[in-house]
Amino acid sequence: GAGVSQSPSNKVTEKGKDVELRCDPISGHTALYWYRQSLGQGLEFLIYFQGNSAPDKSGLPSDRFSAERTGGSVSTLTIQRTQQEDSAVYLCASSLAQGRKQPQHFGDGTRLSIL
Amino acid sequence: GENVEQHPSTLSVQEGDSAVIKCTYSDSASNYFPWYKQELGKRPQLIIDIRSNVGEKKDQRIAVTLNKTAKHFSLHITETQPEDSAVYFCAEHLIFGKGTKLSVKP
């Protein structure tokens, strides 16, 4: 079946603009994760959705970052007033229920470049 | 909270040698331990995982061992090949290790 789909694959924008990144998880996966990966670095946790529970937002670096998951499926990560340090690859992943014991399936990411 | 330490950060081996990467975790209640491989410019992909009811799991040339008492788990790759060159990450739920860049020299 289809894997995790992210769009756009690349986004170039000017400093100060808002951006929206989209993630379509694997059908039937109730857990959804967002990570940020700077060049040559590891995966930095941003936010985690599990079913209808309140999301774990503990990884969001500032209040310019927010995310929604509508209808328990598609998620949108929004970055307001973008800064150059926001440049990175934003990865989305999904997993089956009981996410703590299930592997994460990653999308190809959105490469965000802030000019 | 969860904290994962991964070592080494880089590892260079000759083709055919073995490679071992180790991760130490903090939450004694954790019971699922995955390893992901990320090739250059690609998405991370699960290569092997282990649950806390077993101490070792093998899949062809790769294996993972778990020591719950010491709170660490290790990835073992035998008979390394150039295509094993990649960055490997361990994870404890939401937190990933910083990665190990493995280079296999032909």
Side-chain angles (χ1 to χ4, degrees):
Chain A
V4 176
S5 177
Q6 292 188 246
S7 60
S9 55
N10 286 282
K11 178 72 176 178
V12 181
T13 192
E14 294 179 344
K15 175 183 172 182
K17 300 287 188 183
D18 297 352
V19 295
E20 284 190 354
L21 311 180
R22 177 187 168 103
C23 174
D24 275 286
I26 293 172
S27 178
H29 281 194
T30 60
L32 187 146
Y33 316 75
W34 283 99
Y35 296 91
R36 178 169 69 176
Q37 187 172 35
S38 300
L39 188 62
Q41 302 299 309
L43 281 72
E44 177 189 2
F45 164 68
L46 298 177
I47 189 168
Y48 163 56
F49 296 89
Q50 172 59 69
N52 295 321
S53 303
D56 179 345
K57 304 179 181 180
S58 61
L60 295 178
S62 77
D63 58 8
R64 296 187 295 106
F65 288 72
S66 63
E68 290 185 343
R69 189 178 186 192
T70 54
S73 181
V74 172
S75 177
T76 302
L77 177 68
T78 301
I79 309 173
Q80 296 178 310
R81 306 181 301 281
T82 51
Q83 304 294 314
Q84 288 187 330
E85 60 263 30
D86 298 336
S87 296
V89 175
Y90 289 81
L91 288 164
C92 175
S94 69
S95 68
L96 288 168
Q98 298 180 348
R100 291 188 71 97
K101 300 181 183 180
Q102 297 294 331
Q104 296 182 33
H105 300 261
F106 286 84
D108 287 329
T110 293
R111 183 175 300 277
L112 178 63
S113 300
I114 309 300
L115 302 178
Chain B
E2 295 145 349
N3 184 36
V4 178
E5 293 189 4
Q6 182 175 342
H7 298 281
S9 56
T10 61
L11 180 58
S12 182
V13 300
Q14 287 294 136
E15 182 176 0
D17 287 351
S18 295
V20 181
I21 304 169
K22 181 177 176 178
C23 273
T24 302
Y25 62 95
S26 59
D27 187 354
S28 57
S30 291
N31 54 15
Y32 175 69
F33 306 95
W35 284 95
Y36 295 85
K37 176 183 181 181
Q38 186 176 32
E39 297 178 4
L40 191 62
K42 300 286 185 63
R43 66 179 78 178
Q45 290 191 299
L46 179 81
I47 54 170
I48 196 165
D49 57 11
I50 192 169
R51 290 177 171 78
S52 59
N53 56 340
V54 296
E56 183 177 7
K57 182 178 176 180
K58 287 185 178 179
D59 182 3
Q60 299 183 333
R61 295 187 298 107
I62 60 172
V64 54
T65 58
L66 172 64
N67 184 327
K68 288 216 75 178
T69 303
K71 291 195 287 187
H72 65 71
F73 59 110
S74 299
L75 176 68
H76 305 254
I77 306 174
T78 58
E79 301 172 29
T80 52
Q81 300 170 5
E83 52 264 38
D84 295 330
S85 296
V87 179
Y88 293 82
F89 295 97
C90 61
E92 184 188 17
H93 191 34
L94 303 174
I95 306 304
F96 280 68
K98 294 189 182 301
T100 297
K101 183 176 181 179
L102 174 64
S103 299
V104 180
K105 299 179 182 178

